Amino acid sequence: MAEDNSTSSPVGKLRQHWGSRLGFILAATGSAIGLGNIWKFPYITGDYGGGAFVLVYLVCVVVVGLPLMLAEFMIGRRGQENPVGAFQKLHRKGSPWQGAGWMGVASGFLILSFYSVVAGWAMAYIFKAIAGFAGSPEQIQDQFTQLVLSPGDSIMWHSIFMVLCVAIVIGGIQHGIERWSKILMPLLFLILLGLMFYGLFSTNGGLKALAFLFRPDFHKLTGEGILSALGHAFFTLSLGMGAMITYGSYMERGARLVRDAIAISVLDTFIALMAGVAIFSLVFHFGMEPQQSVGLIFKTLPVLFAELGPWISVPFFVLLTFAALTSGISLLEVVVSYFVDERGWSRTAAALVMGGLIYAVGLLCATASLEVPFMGGKGYFGFFDDLTTNYMLPIGGLLTCLFTAWVFRDKDRVDEFGSRGFAYRAFVFLVKYITPVAVVIVILHGLKLLPFMDYSH
Ligand code: TRP
């Protein structure tokens, strides 16, 4: 850790900073791009019927996601602290807004507990890919069911993934997080591009996939679908729990946040759409069902990989694992930065203890994974996912938005935004009137609580 990259923090320790602006962008992009784009986006799009869901998701990214990402960067860089500390510093000690920070720490904890299990599946598939996928499509798809139903394997891979996350977070900002992101994100982009073109031009499913994803059929859109589209906009952009506040806090003054937020959101959306096109081309080519739930990519892609061979499949699952890792460490980093900044723990102790607890909670998801009914039949996995993605993240985002709109001092806000021009006024208008209202409406609609709507059927 170079001295000149650090500033004093309230507890008297030196705060680490990114080594370069590119390092920050790649790390934030690495946090955003992960299983959410490649695993989750295609499967929930399949479950919620395609085009109309995708459209709502895209609207949410622009109207809610982009302004909030900017808001989180601004709060983080201004506060130079973990989410709890940042809200206090920008308001006052003991401010009730720190509650938003706590909820973020709790969200990070819960999300990582199931995220790690899915990341573990991705790792398991590296070795299945090395061994080679062979047999009928049904046999290949069966491998996923076997993996999920054998807790021993799931637990082993979940353990390995958590150990990696903890080790990198202990390594710290520049030497841990930044270095990895720089190398691996560009590679992932290239391989997805290749798979998308293959899906579009070398299978019979390309056109059907495009129609499925981009021709909206609003009859298929439910209140739950709209809520999930909003929740996914938060999830995929790593918003609503202070991850971007934390990453913003490792940033020095001077970077142009608006441009960075736009670049990251666009890139993240592109990756998700590319993955969607690639995967649905295969789904339609092989005549499979789009509704395959959490198994979608693990069941469809290997059928193609059986034809393409390990030269494509092994790098794919390796990169998917790394994408998951750069996201997983951002989840852990939020929890760790809270204990380091606010409780005075050492980075190593915080990473080990919290990583250990997250691991333990994750065991529930790995063992009971999908089958054991719990909380309305969803299983721990679905329950944690639904609770965090559809409620905790949107509510955390709503609070962050209200804070930015009404509490963040205008002078500081302009300073962080970088100008007072039209873009700034548009941003303030969005976070004051549009974004919060949109989030509240979608949550109420998802809960079937919106007045003037008929929920009787
Ligand atoms: N955005 C990541 C993905 O799409 C997951 C993630 C990382 C995340 N950090 C987060 C989600 C913070 C919500 C909040 O895979």
Side-chain angles (χ1 to χ4, degrees):
M1 187 64 264
E3 299 279 313
D4 55 352
N5 270 326
S6 307
T7 53
S8 218
S9 93
V11 246
K13 289 191 211 121
L14 292 177
R15 189 169 194 79
Q16 304 188 40
H17 279 115
W18 304 110
S20 66
R21 173 153 176 267
L22 182 64
F24 159 73
I25 295 183
L26 286 173
T29 314
S31 167
I33 296 171
L35 296 169
N37 307 61
I38 297 163
W39 159 72
K40 199 170 185 191
F41 172 72
Y43 103 68
I44 54 180
T45 299
D47 286 356
Y48 289 114
F53 174 86
V54 174
L55 189 65
V56 177
Y57 154 75
L58 291 175
V59 171
C60 288
V61 166
V62 175
V63 174
V64 178
L66 185 59
L68 258 169
M69 179 175 298
L70 192 52
E72 289 205 17
F73 285 162
M74 289 164 62
I75 292 172
R77 190 170 70 180
R78 194 81 200 171
Q80 290 288 307
E81 285 209 40
N82 72 93
V84 176
F87 281 116
Q88 296 197 56
K89 199 152 145 193
L90 298 183
H91 185 214
R92 59 179 158 76
K93 195 108 198 103
S95 160
W97 291 98
Q98 67 178 300
W102 284 335
M103 196 168 67
V105 174
S107 309
F109 189 106
L110 288 177
I111 293 175
L112 185 53
S113 73
F114 69 82
Y115 201 85
S116 168
V117 175
V118 182
W121 296 342
M123 289 171 96
Y125 266 75
I126 298 176
F127 294 88
K128 291 188 192 296
I130 292 173
F133 296 106
S136 69
E138 289 73 29
Q139 285 167 333
I140 293 175
Q141 294 180 39
D142 235 24
Q143 294 198 354
F144 178 71
T145 321
Q146 282 166 15
L147 172 66
V148 173
L149 292 182
S150 51
D153 286 353
S154 289
I155 290 176
M156 179 179 79
W157 294 111
H158 164 59
S159 314
I160 296 175
F161 185 79
M162 280 307 300
V163 167
L164 289 174
C165 283
V166 168
I168 296 179
V169 167
I170 289 176
I173 295 305
Q174 285 188 29
H175 299 289
I177 299 171
E178 193 171 332
R179 194 198 295 156
W180 289 97
S181 308
K182 264 189 202 166
I183 312 169
L184 298 162
M185 300 319 296
L187 279 178
L188 180 69
F189 188 85
L190 285 182
I191 208 164
L192 270 176
L193 199 67
L195 287 177
M196 180 182 76
F197 280 121
Y198 186 91
L200 277 179
F201 300 116
S202 301
T203 71
N204 301 323
L207 287 179
K208 282 192 197 141
L210 290 179
F212 182 74
L213 287 168
F214 300 112
R215 192 183 294 152
D217 173 359
F218 288 98
H219 297 294
K220 291 187 182 160
L221 197 62
T222 58
E224 199 190 320
I226 298 178
L227 181 59
S228 298
L230 176 77
H232 188 66
F234 280 97
F235 188 93
T236 189
L237 295 172
S238 302
L239 298 175
M241 55 149 281
M244 293 307 187
I245 295 183
T246 309
Y247 273 18
S249 79
Y250 299 129
M251 198 172 0
E252 314 240 32
R253 313 218 37 91
R256 280 149 69 193
L257 298 180
V258 181
R259 203 178 53 186
D260 293 352
I262 293 176
I264 294 167
S265 309
V266 168
L267 211 58
D268 185 82
T269 307
F270 261 109
I271 297 263
L273 295 176
M274 278 160 60
V277 171
I279 285 155
F280 285 109
S281 304
L282 299 181
V283 167
F284 294 117
H285 178 74
F286 291 111
M288 300 175 193
E289 280 296 312
Q291 276 139 309
Q292 303 253 1
S293 178
V294 296
L296 184 66
I297 67 162
F298 298 104
K299 290 180 179 168
T300 50
L301 283 176
V303 177
L304 171 68
F305 290 153
E307 287 173 22
L308 296 182
W311 301 112
I312 306 291
S313 60
V314 175
F316 176 82
F317 286 111
V318 169
L319 292 168
L320 183 61
T321 301
F322 277 111
L325 201 55
T326 52
S327 301
I329 53 190
S330 78
L331 289 159
L332 184 57
E333 180 63 31
V334 173
V335 182
V336 166
S337 75
Y338 167 74
F339 284 93
V340 171
D341 290 352
E342 301 294 307
R343 302 284 164 125
W345 293 20
S346 75
R347 174 167 275 276
T348 309
L352 284 174
V353 172
M354 292 328 276
L357 289 175
I358 292 169
Y359 169 74
V361 173
L363 288 177
L364 290 175
C365 302
T367 49
S369 52
L370 308 166
E371 311 302 324
V372 179
F374 169 76
M375 301 301 290
K378 286 187 177 128
Y380 288 102
F381 192 103
F383 172 67
F384 287 157
D385 186 7
D386 185 45
L387 176 70
T388 51
T389 307
N390 294 341
Y391 299 98
M392 290 171 80
L393 297 181
I395 291 171
L398 177 65
L399 294 174
T400 309
C401 181
L402 294 175
F403 181 89
T404 311
W406 308 102
V407 184
F408 208 163
R409 268 176 300 161
D410 192 54
K411 183 175 104 13
D412 296 351
R413 210 170 47 191
V414 174
D415 213 29
E416 289 302 322
F417 192 90
S419 84
R420 233 187 216 295
F422 172 75
Y424 177 71
R425 276 175 280 135
F427 168 71
V428 172
F429 182 78
L430 272 176
V431 291
K432 275 195 175 156
Y433 305 110
I434 307 295
T435 311
V437 174
V439 173
V440 169
I441 290 179
V442 173
I443 295 177
L444 290 179
H445 186 49
L447 292 170
K448 299 198 190 335
L449 288 176
L450 216 53
F452 320 114
M453 288 286 285
D454 178 11
Y455 294 113
S456 53
H457 48 268

